[in-house]
C-alpha cells in the first residue's frame, strides 16, 4: 500500500505525546497523548472548540505545536514534515474542492501534484468508485453537499496515502450522504488505511470507530473501544421498552436507503404522506 | 520537496489560468475602465490639456493608461488568492507533498499572463483611436519588459493583500491608491503645471519615471537617465514586496 513506512507493522501509525498549542492567550491543547493502530479507525470526539481541528492541523503539518511530539508513520511532524506529507491526506472541515474546475479536473489536478502517471485514468477510476461519473464533467460548484464531500474524499485517496485525516467529514450532510461517507470510511480501513476522524456526533463514532478518544478542554479525558467506554457507566439494566423506529430509520425507509441500494422503499411514500 | 518546484508551479498556473479562461469577465473588466478613461481623456478633456509637445494626446497618455490597467488587474490576483485561502483548497495544497512556493508562483504567473492580455486589449483599442508609435522592435521589447516588471512588482503587493485580508473587499481595496497614483504624475498632464508640493510629489514618485521612459520608447526618442530611475523603483518595490509576501506566507503556512 505504501512506499514510505519505516515502521514495523506493530508500531502505531500515529503517536502523539504531550502536544500543547495556544493561540494568543487561549490554551487550546494542554498535553494530548494518543496512539492510533495501523489500519484502524480512530475517532476523536469532542464538542465545538474542543481542539479537534487544531490537533488534526498539527498532525497534517499545517500548524506547529508549542510543546510535545507527534509522529505519523514514524516521521516526526515537525522535523520530517515532507515525509509526513507524503504519508497522509487531509480532508478538512470544509470541502476543499476547486469549484471552477470539473470533478474530473479536480481529481486530475491532485494526481498531477502527486506526480502520478496517467492522471486522467486515475480521475476516471475514482469518479466511477464514488458514483460521480455522470457528474464528472460538471463544475464542482454545481454539486450537492454530499457529492462535493465525496469528491473531496476521492481527492484525498489519490496516491494511496497510508494515513487519512477526516476533520468532521459529515458535518452539514443529509442522512443519506452521511451513510455514503461512512461506507467509504469503512472500505478504506478494510483496505488497510489508517483513518483518524474527528466528529461531534456520538453515533458517528459509535458506528465507525475501532477506538474512540474524548477530547475535552484540551486533553484526552478517556479513550478506548466503545465497549470499554460503555463499561465506565453502571452495568446495563434490563428494561422492557416498546421498540419505536427512530426518525432516521423512518426517513431512510421513505426516501430509500443508499446502504440498501437505491430508492427501493420509495413506494410507501404515497401512503404515508397526506 | 524542492525537486518539483517547476512542475508543481506549471500545474498550479494551469489551474488558475483555467479560472480566468472560464470567467474572462475578469480580463474584460480590467480592460474596460482604462478604455473608458482613455475615451474620456482623448475626446473630452484632451482638447483642453496642453502637454507642451507636438505629439497627439493619445500618444502622450497611453503609458499612464497601461499602468492603470495593470494596477486594477492585480486586484483580481489578491481576490483569487484570498478565495483559495477561504475555500480550504489552500490547506489541501499545504498538506500535500508539493513545493510550497509553487502555490504562490502559480498565482503570480497567472497574474502576469492575465495583465498582459488586458494590456494588449487596451493597446489594440488605442491603435483604433489613433495611437501611433515609431518604436523599434528593441523599444517594444523594452516597453514590454518594463510592463512585466511593473506587473510583478504590483502582483507581489497583491499577494501581501490577498494573504493578509480578512474580507473579500479588503483583499482588493489595496489597488485603489495604486490606480490613482498615475493621476498625480506626468501621465496625463505635465508636472510643471501643478502647484509646488504636488509637483514635487509627482516628480519624485515611481509612476512619473516609468511613464516618461515608456513615452520616450514609444516616441522613438532617447530615454536618458529616466530608465535607470524607473528600473530602480521597479526592482526595489518588487524586492521589498516579495520579501514581505514570503514572510507572511511562511507565517500563514506553518
Amino acid at each position: 500500500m505504501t512506499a514510505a513506512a519505516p515502521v514495523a507493522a506493530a508500531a502505531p501509525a500515529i503517536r502523539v505525546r504531550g502536544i500543547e498549542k495556544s493561540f494568543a492567550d487561549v490554551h487550546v491543547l494542554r498535553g494530548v497523548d494518543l496512539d492510533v493502530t495501523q489500519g484502524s479507525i480512530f475517532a476523536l470526539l469532542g464538542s465545538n472548540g474542543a481542539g479537534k481541528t487544531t490537533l488534526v492541523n498539527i498532525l497534517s503539518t499545517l500548524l506547529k505545536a508549542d510543546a510535545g511530539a507527534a509522529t505519523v508513520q514514524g516521521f516526526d511532524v515537525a522535523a520530517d514534515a515532507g515525509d509526513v506529507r507524503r504519508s497522509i491526506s487531509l480532508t478538512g472541515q470544509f470541502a476543499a474542492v476547486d469549484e471552477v474546475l470539473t470533478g474530473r479536473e479536480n481529481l486530475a489536478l491532485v494526481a498531477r501534484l502527486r506526480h502520478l502517471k496517467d492522471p486522467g485514468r486515475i480521475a476516471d477510476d475514482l469518479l466511477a468508485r464514488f458514483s460521480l461519473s455522470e457528474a464528472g464533467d460538471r463544475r464542482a460548484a454545481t454539486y450537492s453537499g454530499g457529492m462535493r464531500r465525496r469528491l473531496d474524499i476521492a481527492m484525498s485517496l489519490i496516491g494511496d496515502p497510508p494515513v487519512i485525516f477526516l476533520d468532521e467529514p459529515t458535518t452539514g450532510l443529509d442522512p443519506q450522504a452521511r451513510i455514503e461517507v461512512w461506507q467509504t470510511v469503512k472500505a478504506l480501513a478494510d483496505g488497510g488505511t489508517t483513518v483518524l476522524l474527528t466528529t461531534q456526533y456520538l453515533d458517528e463514532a459509535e458506528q465507525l470507530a475501532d477506538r474512540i478518544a474524548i477530547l475535552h478542554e484540551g486533553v484526552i479525558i478517556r479513550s478506548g473501544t466503545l465497549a470499554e467506554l460503555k463499561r465506565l457507566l453502571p452495568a446495563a439494566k434490563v428494561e422492557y421498552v416498546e421498540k419505536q423506529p427512530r426518525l432516521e430509520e423512518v426517513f431512510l425507509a421513505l426516501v430509500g436507503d443508499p446502504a440498501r441500494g437505491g430508492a427501493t422503499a420509495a413506494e410507501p411514500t404515497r401512503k404515508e404522506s397526506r | 520537496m524542492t525537486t518539483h518546484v517547476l512542475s508543481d508551479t506549471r500545474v498550479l498556473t494551469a489551474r488558475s489560468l483555467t479560472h480566468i479562461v472560464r470567467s474572462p469577465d475578469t480580463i474584460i473588466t480590467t480592460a474596460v475602465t482604462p478604455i473608458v478613461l482613455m475615451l474620456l481623456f482623448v475626446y473630452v478633456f484632451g482638447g483642453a490639456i496642453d502637454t507642451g509637445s507636438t505629439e497627439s494626446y493619445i500618444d502622450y497618455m497611453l503609458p499612464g493608461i497601461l499602468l492603470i490597467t495593470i494596477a486594477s488587474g492585480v486586484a483580481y490576483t489578491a481576490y483569487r488568492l484570498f478565495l483559495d485561502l477561504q475555500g480550504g483548497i489552500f490547506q489541501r495544497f499545504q498538506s500535500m507533498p508539493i513545493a510550497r512556493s509553487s502555490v504562490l508562483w502559480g498565482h503570480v504567473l497567472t497574474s502576469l499572463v492575465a495583465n498582459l492580455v488586458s494590456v494588449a486589449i487596451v493597446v489594440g483599442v488605442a491603435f483604433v483611436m489613433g495611437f501611433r508609435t515609431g518604436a523599434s522592435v528593441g523599444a517594444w521589447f523594452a516597453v514590454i519588459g518594463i510592463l512585466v516588471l511593473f506587473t510583478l512588482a504590483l502582483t507581489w503587493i497583491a499577494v501581501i493583500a490577498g494573504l493578509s485580508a480578512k474580507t473579500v473587499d479588503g483583499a482588493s481595496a489595496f489597488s485603489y491608491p495604486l490606480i490613482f497614483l498615475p493621476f498625480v504624475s506626468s501621465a496625463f498632464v505635465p508636472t510643471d503645471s501643478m502647484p509646488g508640493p504636488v509637483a514635487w510629489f509627482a516628480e519624485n514618485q515611481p509612476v512619473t519615471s516609468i511613464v516618461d521612459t515608456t513615452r520616450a520608447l514609444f516616441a522613438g526618442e532617447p530615454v536618458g537617465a529616466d530608465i535607470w530611475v524607473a528600473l530602480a523603483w521597479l526592482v526595489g518595490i518588487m524586492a521589498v514586496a516579495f520579501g514581505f509576501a514570503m514572510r507572511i506566507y511562511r507565517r500563514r503556512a506553518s
Side-chain angles (χ1 to χ4, degrees), chain B residues 19-198:
Chain B
H19 285 206
I20 291 181
V21 172
R22 296 213 175 138
S23 51
D25 50 309
T26 61
I27 284 187
I28 293 163
T29 316
T30 304
V32 162
T33 311
I35 288 170
V36 170
L37 277 176
M38 199 154 59
L39 293 168
L40 206 60
F41 270 87
V42 170
Y43 297 123
V44 182
F45 305 137
I49 296 174
D50 178 14
T51 63
S53 75
T54 52
E55 62 185 338
S56 72
Y57 188 61
I58 190 162
D59 292 357
Y60 184 85
M61 54 91 80
L62 184 65
I65 288 290
L66 296 182
L67 300 191
I68 288 178
T69 309
I70 293 167
S72 59
V74 292
Y76 284 105
T77 305
Y79 171 74
R80 284 190 290 267
L81 188 57
F82 179 78
L83 287 191
D84 272 8
L85 281 162
Q86 289 295 297
I89 197 138
F90 187 83
Q91 283 210 332
R92 178 185 290 284
F93 291 149
Q94 295 296 322
S95 69
M96 286 172 62
I98 60 178
R100 291 208 155 185
S101 59
S102 57
V103 177
L104 283 192
W105 278 109
H107 280 287
V108 169
L109 294 179
T110 301
S111 174
L112 192 57
V113 173
N115 278 298
L116 289 182
V117 171
S118 296
V119 162
I121 294 172
V122 173
V123 171
V125 173
F127 268 116
V128 173
M129 288 169 62
F131 166 70
R132 292 295 175 265
T133 169
S136 63
V137 175
W140 267 107
F141 274 111
V143 169
I144 292 169
I146 287 172
L147 294 177
V148 165
L149 279 179
F150 189 73
T151 308
L152 287 176
L154 262 50
T155 296
W156 282 108
I157 296 177
V159 169
I160 296 175
L163 285 174
S164 45
K166 302 272 185 288
T167 62
V168 176
D169 295 330
S172 49
F174 77 98
S175 67
Y176 298 125
L178 297 179
I179 293 169
F180 278 99
L181 219 43
F183 288 102
V184 195
S185 80
S186 62
F188 298 103
V189 294
T191 52
D192 50 23
S193 67
M194 301 172 188
V198 181

Side-chain angles (χ1 to χ4, degrees), chain A residues 72-113:
Chain A
V72 175
Q73 295 292 109
F75 299 115
D76 187 277
V77 292
D80 317 314
D83 291 312
V84 171
R85 284 182 212 128
R86 260 183 286 278
S87 311
I88 63 159
S89 251
L90 167 66
T91 301
Q93 206 159 358
F94 307 101
V97 303
D98 186 324
E99 301 204 334
V100 178
L101 301 184
T102 65
R104 177 174 281 106
E105 287 167 339
N106 265 292
L107 293 163
L109 172 70
V110 174
R112 286 195 185 94
L113 288 174

Side-chain angles (χ1 to χ4, degrees), chain A residues 7 50 54 80 90 92 116 118 123 133 139-140 152 158 192 203 218 246 249 253 255 263 269:
Chain A
V7 284
T54 305
D80 317 314
L90 167 66
L116 300 173
D118 209 351
S133 292
R139 292 190 193 184
D152 193 27
I158 294 171
D203 57 331
R246 288 184 298 133
E249 288 163 352
V255 300
T269 316

